[in-house]
Amino acid sequence: MTPQDYVQQKAAASGSSFYYAFLFLPAPKRAAITAFYAFCREVDDVVDDMVDPGVAATKLQWWRTEVAQAFAGTPSHPVMQALLPLAASYQIEQRHLQAVIEGCQMDLNQTRYLDYAGLQNYCHLVAGVVGEVAAQIFGQTDPQTTRYAHTLGQALQLTNIIRDVGEDARRGRIYLPVNELKQFGVTAQEILNGTYSDRFTALMRFQAERAQGLYDQALALLPAADCRAQKPGLMMASIYRALLAEIERDNFAVLHQRISLTPLRKLWLAWKVQALGRL
């Protein structure tokens, strides 16, 4: 299996909505974003598949070293072998990859966030930076597109957090800020136990409104000159906003299940942005 085959398989096997946005890119950009996404999946899987935190920490340290060695010219992992030849062309720097690893490290060290400001820092590392790199790969001519991409990345991450509340709780992590749990009278134990209430629904509606506000803010920041090139990001916004609407229609029943869109619907939403140029 070549490094290119490896990253393609990694991206496709994830079942992520991102994969559908990649399909419409020209081959060179598709190769770059697929390799970068595969890297993100590799380091994220270290935490998601964690049995022993010590082993996970060791694996993340291995990735830090691998990234440094790769940018020094000696990549050993197929993901880095696929990504490095394309990095310079799309201004992908070592600091970007190390930031993603740092965000995954936070998942090993921290299972609660006191307030939204703390959660924003986590989202910056695992999603904002990812959005910035993606925007560069898609094609960026205006510096303001970086702000758009960072804001969109945070909106996507908040949507993931809303979708995965129950799943994350079963792993011992609650991303919803502690002060907001208190504001709505929801205890961490209720979430860990999968207990629904009107208070929980109100809390989740508050989170969804914040995410929707970030989508609106991101779209308002996107310069007209870069709209065409940034269609893959707009596809993601369309798919994730549809997912958020689905979760809201299901009254935020996210503690016992993972609500998702069908692959056909994701493909349709992506195609609609590609064909019509709007959400």
PDB file of all heavy atoms in Angstrom, residues 18-38:
ATOM      1  N   PHE A  18     -16.537  15.364   6.183  1.00  0.00           N
ATOM      2  CA  PHE A  18     -15.473  16.050   5.453  1.00  0.00           C
ATOM      3  C   PHE A  18     -15.172  15.344   4.131  1.00  0.00           C
ATOM      4  O   PHE A  18     -14.854  15.988   3.137  1.00  0.00           O
ATOM      5  CB  PHE A  18     -14.192  16.104   6.295  1.00  0.00           C
ATOM      6  CG  PHE A  18     -14.260  17.076   7.428  1.00  0.00           C
ATOM      7  CD1 PHE A  18     -14.841  16.724   8.638  1.00  0.00           C
ATOM      8  CD2 PHE A  18     -13.752  18.356   7.294  1.00  0.00           C
ATOM      9  CE1 PHE A  18     -14.911  17.624   9.689  1.00  0.00           C
ATOM     10  CE2 PHE A  18     -13.816  19.270   8.338  1.00  0.00           C
ATOM     11  CZ  PHE A  18     -14.396  18.900   9.537  1.00  0.00           C
ATOM     12  N   TYR A  19     -15.274  14.037   4.135  1.00  0.00           N
ATOM     13  CA  TYR A  19     -14.935  13.255   2.946  1.00  0.00           C
ATOM     14  C   TYR A  19     -15.764  13.678   1.743  1.00  0.00           C
ATOM     15  O   TYR A  19     -15.269  13.732   0.612  1.00  0.00           O
ATOM     16  CB  TYR A  19     -15.138  11.774   3.249  1.00  0.00           C
ATOM     17  CG  TYR A  19     -14.786  10.863   2.099  1.00  0.00           C
ATOM     18  CD1 TYR A  19     -13.469  10.690   1.689  1.00  0.00           C
ATOM     19  CD2 TYR A  19     -15.774  10.156   1.417  1.00  0.00           C
ATOM     20  CE1 TYR A  19     -13.141   9.850   0.640  1.00  0.00           C
ATOM     21  CE2 TYR A  19     -15.461   9.320   0.366  1.00  0.00           C
ATOM     22  CZ  TYR A  19     -14.143   9.167  -0.018  1.00  0.00           C
ATOM     23  OH  TYR A  19     -13.822   8.343  -1.066  1.00  0.00           O
ATOM     24  N   TYR A  20     -17.024  14.023   1.976  1.00  0.00           N
ATOM     25  CA  TYR A  20     -17.917  14.384   0.868  1.00  0.00           C
ATOM     26  C   TYR A  20     -17.536  15.733   0.264  1.00  0.00           C
ATOM     27  O   TYR A  20     -17.732  15.961  -0.927  1.00  0.00           O
ATOM     28  CB  TYR A  20     -19.375  14.384   1.350  1.00  0.00           C
ATOM     29  CG  TYR A  20     -19.811  13.005   1.777  1.00  0.00           C
ATOM     30  CD1 TYR A  20     -19.636  12.572   3.090  1.00  0.00           C
ATOM     31  CD2 TYR A  20     -20.357  12.109   0.866  1.00  0.00           C
ATOM     32  CE1 TYR A  20     -20.009  11.288   3.478  1.00  0.00           C
ATOM     33  CE2 TYR A  20     -20.730  10.826   1.243  1.00  0.00           C
ATOM     34  CZ  TYR A  20     -20.545  10.432   2.551  1.00  0.00           C
ATOM     35  OH  TYR A  20     -20.894   9.158   2.926  1.00  0.00           O
ATOM     36  N   ALA A  21     -16.981  16.621   1.087  1.00  0.00           N
ATOM     37  CA  ALA A  21     -16.533  17.914   0.571  1.00  0.00           C
ATOM     38  C   ALA A  21     -15.258  17.765  -0.256  1.00  0.00           C
ATOM     39  O   ALA A  21     -15.026  18.521  -1.195  1.00  0.00           O
ATOM     40  CB  ALA A  21     -16.302  18.882   1.734  1.00  0.00           C
ATOM     41  N   PHE A  22     -14.432  16.762   0.085  1.00  0.00           N
ATOM     42  CA  PHE A  22     -13.186  16.559  -0.651  1.00  0.00           C
ATOM     43  C   PHE A  22     -13.428  16.062  -2.068  1.00  0.00           C
ATOM     44  O   PHE A  22     -12.606  16.290  -2.964  1.00  0.00           O
ATOM     45  CB  PHE A  22     -12.299  15.530   0.053  1.00  0.00           C
ATOM     46  CG  PHE A  22     -11.932  15.864   1.478  1.00  0.00           C
ATOM     47  CD1 PHE A  22     -11.392  14.898   2.309  1.00  0.00           C
ATOM     48  CD2 PHE A  22     -12.115  17.147   1.994  1.00  0.00           C
ATOM     49  CE1 PHE A  22     -11.042  15.186   3.615  1.00  0.00           C
ATOM     50  CE2 PHE A  22     -11.776  17.446   3.304  1.00  0.00           C
ATOM     51  CZ  PHE A  22     -11.240  16.459   4.116  1.00  0.00           C
ATOM     52  N   LEU A  23     -14.540  15.370  -2.291  1.00  0.00           N
ATOM     53  CA  LEU A  23     -14.779  14.704  -3.574  1.00  0.00           C
ATOM     54  C   LEU A  23     -14.792  15.673  -4.749  1.00  0.00           C
ATOM     55  O   LEU A  23     -14.497  15.285  -5.877  1.00  0.00           O
ATOM     56  CB  LEU A  23     -16.112  13.936  -3.518  1.00  0.00           C
ATOM     57  CG  LEU A  23     -16.182  12.751  -2.558  1.00  0.00           C
ATOM     58  CD1 LEU A  23     -17.599  12.188  -2.534  1.00  0.00           C
ATOM     59  CD2 LEU A  23     -15.190  11.658  -2.952  1.00  0.00           C
ATOM     60  N   PHE A  24     -15.147  16.927  -4.497  1.00  0.00           N
ATOM     61  CA  PHE A  24     -15.327  17.889  -5.576  1.00  0.00           C
ATOM     62  C   PHE A  24     -14.062  18.690  -5.877  1.00  0.00           C
ATOM     63  O   PHE A  24     -14.072  19.549  -6.758  1.00  0.00           O
ATOM     64  CB  PHE A  24     -16.481  18.836  -5.229  1.00  0.00           C
ATOM     65  CG  PHE A  24     -17.809  18.138  -5.116  1.00  0.00           C
ATOM     66  CD1 PHE A  24     -18.245  17.624  -3.905  1.00  0.00           C
ATOM     67  CD2 PHE A  24     -18.620  17.967  -6.232  1.00  0.00           C
ATOM     68  CE1 PHE A  24     -19.472  16.961  -3.797  1.00  0.00           C
ATOM     69  CE2 PHE A  24     -19.852  17.315  -6.138  1.00  0.00           C
ATOM     70  CZ  PHE A  24     -20.267  16.811  -4.920  1.00  0.00           C
ATOM     71  N   LEU A  25     -12.983  18.410  -5.154  1.00  0.00           N
ATOM     72  CA  LEU A  25     -11.739  19.156  -5.357  1.00  0.00           C
ATOM     73  C   LEU A  25     -10.930  18.587  -6.519  1.00  0.00           C
ATOM     74  O   LEU A  25     -10.979  17.384  -6.782  1.00  0.00           O
ATOM     75  CB  LEU A  25     -10.874  19.079  -4.090  1.00  0.00           C
ATOM     76  CG  LEU A  25     -11.309  19.944  -2.911  1.00  0.00           C
ATOM     77  CD1 LEU A  25     -10.548  19.526  -1.656  1.00  0.00           C
ATOM     78  CD2 LEU A  25     -11.064  21.423  -3.201  1.00  0.00           C
ATOM     79  N   PRO A  26     -10.132  19.429  -7.192  1.00  0.00           N
ATOM     80  CA  PRO A  26      -9.195  18.899  -8.194  1.00  0.00           C
ATOM     81  C   PRO A  26      -8.163  18.004  -7.503  1.00  0.00           C
ATOM     82  O   PRO A  26      -7.884  18.167  -6.311  1.00  0.00           O
ATOM     83  CB  PRO A  26      -8.561  20.156  -8.780  1.00  0.00           C
ATOM     84  CG  PRO A  26      -8.814  21.231  -7.795  1.00  0.00           C
ATOM     85  CD  PRO A  26     -10.085  20.885  -7.088  1.00  0.00           C
ATOM     86  N   ALA A  27      -7.579  17.088  -8.245  1.00  0.00           N
ATOM     87  CA  ALA A  27      -6.731  16.031  -7.681  1.00  0.00           C
ATOM     88  C   ALA A  27      -5.620  16.533  -6.750  1.00  0.00           C
ATOM     89  O   ALA A  27      -5.450  15.972  -5.654  1.00  0.00           O
ATOM     90  CB  ALA A  27      -6.153  15.184  -8.806  1.00  0.00           C
ATOM     91  N   PRO A  28      -4.827  17.548  -7.115  1.00  0.00           N
ATOM     92  CA  PRO A  28      -3.733  17.967  -6.215  1.00  0.00           C
ATOM     93  C   PRO A  28      -4.242  18.458  -4.852  1.00  0.00           C
ATOM     94  O   PRO A  28      -3.674  18.110  -3.816  1.00  0.00           O
ATOM     95  CB  PRO A  28      -3.047  19.090  -6.990  1.00  0.00           C
ATOM     96  CG  PRO A  28      -3.410  18.856  -8.425  1.00  0.00           C
ATOM     97  CD  PRO A  28      -4.800  18.310  -8.383  1.00  0.00           C
ATOM     98  N   LYS A  29      -5.298  19.268  -4.859  1.00  0.00           N
ATOM     99  CA  LYS A  29      -5.848  19.763  -3.596  1.00  0.00           C
ATOM    100  C   LYS A  29      -6.509  18.633  -2.813  1.00  0.00           C
ATOM    101  O   LYS A  29      -6.418  18.583  -1.579  1.00  0.00           O
ATOM    102  CB  LYS A  29      -6.860  20.887  -3.864  1.00  0.00           C
ATOM    103  CG  LYS A  29      -6.221  22.158  -4.411  1.00  0.00           C
ATOM    104  CD  LYS A  29      -7.249  23.253  -4.627  1.00  0.00           C
ATOM    105  CE  LYS A  29      -6.579  24.524  -5.141  1.00  0.00           C
ATOM    106  NZ  LYS A  29      -7.546  25.633  -5.323  1.00  0.00           N
ATOM    107  N   ARG A  30      -7.164  17.730  -3.524  1.00  0.00           N
ATOM    108  CA  ARG A  30      -7.789  16.584  -2.854  1.00  0.00           C
ATOM    109  C   ARG A  30      -6.725  15.727  -2.171  1.00  0.00           C
ATOM    110  O   ARG A  30      -6.927  15.237  -1.056  1.00  0.00           O
ATOM    111  CB  ARG A  30      -8.594  15.752  -3.852  1.00  0.00           C
ATOM    112  CG  ARG A  30      -9.437  14.676  -3.181  1.00  0.00           C
ATOM    113  CD  ARG A  30     -10.453  14.079  -4.132  1.00  0.00           C
ATOM    114  NE  ARG A  30      -9.830  13.337  -5.215  1.00  0.00           N
ATOM    115  CZ  ARG A  30      -9.869  13.681  -6.493  1.00  0.00           C
ATOM    116  NH1 ARG A  30     -10.485  14.789  -6.866  1.00  0.00           N
ATOM    117  NH2 ARG A  30      -9.273  12.941  -7.414  1.00  0.00           N
ATOM    118  N   ALA A  31      -5.582  15.548  -2.821  1.00  0.00           N
ATOM    119  CA  ALA A  31      -4.493  14.770  -2.231  1.00  0.00           C
ATOM    120  C   ALA A  31      -3.974  15.436  -0.960  1.00  0.00           C
ATOM    121  O   ALA A  31      -3.715  14.766   0.056  1.00  0.00           O
ATOM    122  CB  ALA A  31      -3.361  14.605  -3.244  1.00  0.00           C
ATOM    123  N   ALA A  32      -3.828  16.764  -0.994  1.00  0.00           N
ATOM    124  CA  ALA A  32      -3.301  17.488   0.162  1.00  0.00           C
ATOM    125  C   ALA A  32      -4.266  17.464   1.337  1.00  0.00           C
ATOM    126  O   ALA A  32      -3.868  17.179   2.478  1.00  0.00           O
ATOM    127  CB  ALA A  32      -2.984  18.933  -0.229  1.00  0.00           C
ATOM    128  N   ILE A  33      -5.554  17.737   1.094  1.00  0.00           N
ATOM    129  CA  ILE A  33      -6.505  17.777   2.201  1.00  0.00           C
ATOM    130  C   ILE A  33      -6.761  16.379   2.744  1.00  0.00           C
ATOM    131  O   ILE A  33      -6.966  16.191   3.951  1.00  0.00           O
ATOM    132  CB  ILE A  33      -7.841  18.459   1.775  1.00  0.00           C
ATOM    133  CG1 ILE A  33      -8.696  18.804   3.008  1.00  0.00           C
ATOM    134  CG2 ILE A  33      -8.625  17.608   0.809  1.00  0.00           C
ATOM    135  CD1 ILE A  33      -8.095  19.835   3.926  1.00  0.00           C
ATOM    136  N   THR A  34      -6.701  15.364   1.884  1.00  0.00           N
ATOM    137  CA  THR A  34      -6.889  13.990   2.347  1.00  0.00           C
ATOM    138  C   THR A  34      -5.739  13.578   3.259  1.00  0.00           C
ATOM    139  O   THR A  34      -5.958  12.963   4.308  1.00  0.00           O
ATOM    140  CB  THR A  34      -6.991  13.016   1.154  1.00  0.00           C
ATOM    141  OG1 THR A  34      -8.123  13.385   0.355  1.00  0.00           O
ATOM    142  CG2 THR A  34      -7.170  11.580   1.622  1.00  0.00           C
ATOM    143  N   ALA A  35      -4.514  13.923   2.882  1.00  0.00           N
ATOM    144  CA  ALA A  35      -3.354  13.591   3.714  1.00  0.00           C
ATOM    145  C   ALA A  35      -3.413  14.340   5.048  1.00  0.00           C
ATOM    146  O   ALA A  35      -3.135  13.766   6.114  1.00  0.00           O
ATOM    147  CB  ALA A  35      -2.067  13.914   2.975  1.00  0.00           C
ATOM    148  N   PHE A  36      -3.782  15.627   5.004  1.00  0.00           N
ATOM    149  CA  PHE A  36      -3.874  16.407   6.247  1.00  0.00           C
ATOM    150  C   PHE A  36      -4.988  15.870   7.138  1.00  0.00           C
ATOM    151  O   PHE A  36      -4.818  15.730   8.354  1.00  0.00           O
ATOM    152  CB  PHE A  36      -4.116  17.881   5.922  1.00  0.00           C
ATOM    153  CG  PHE A  36      -4.293  18.740   7.145  1.00  0.00           C
ATOM    154  CD1 PHE A  36      -3.265  18.893   8.062  1.00  0.00           C
ATOM    155  CD2 PHE A  36      -5.495  19.404   7.370  1.00  0.00           C
ATOM    156  CE1 PHE A  36      -3.430  19.685   9.195  1.00  0.00           C
ATOM    157  CE2 PHE A  36      -5.664  20.186   8.494  1.00  0.00           C
ATOM    158  CZ  PHE A  36      -4.631  20.331   9.416  1.00  0.00           C
ATOM    159  N   TYR A  37      -6.123  15.540   6.537  1.00  0.00           N
ATOM    160  CA  TYR A  37      -7.234  14.999   7.326  1.00  0.00           C
ATOM    161  C   TYR A  37      -6.848  13.660   7.947  1.00  0.00           C
ATOM    162  O   TYR A  37      -7.191  13.380   9.101  1.00  0.00           O
ATOM    163  CB  TYR A  37      -8.482  14.846   6.446  1.00  0.00           C
ATOM    164  CG  TYR A  37      -9.643  14.241   7.186  1.00  0.00           C
ATOM    165  CD1 TYR A  37     -10.340  14.971   8.141  1.00  0.00           C
ATOM    166  CD2 TYR A  37     -10.025  12.922   6.962  1.00  0.00           C
ATOM    167  CE1 TYR A  37     -11.387  14.415   8.839  1.00  0.00           C
ATOM    168  CE2 TYR A  37     -11.072  12.360   7.664  1.00  0.00           C
ATOM    169  CZ  TYR A  37     -11.757  13.105   8.599  1.00  0.00           C
ATOM    170  OH  TYR A  37     -12.785  12.548   9.305  1.00  0.00           O
ATOM    171  N   ALA A  38      -6.128  12.818   7.190  1.00  0.00           N
ATOM    172  CA  ALA A  38      -5.681  11.531   7.716  1.00  0.00           C
ATOM    173  C   ALA A  38      -4.765  11.730   8.924  1.00  0.00           C
ATOM    174  O   ALA A  38      -4.837  10.979   9.906  1.00  0.00           O
ATOM    175  CB  ALA A  38      -4.967  10.730   6.631  1.00  0.00           C
TER     176      ALA A  38
END
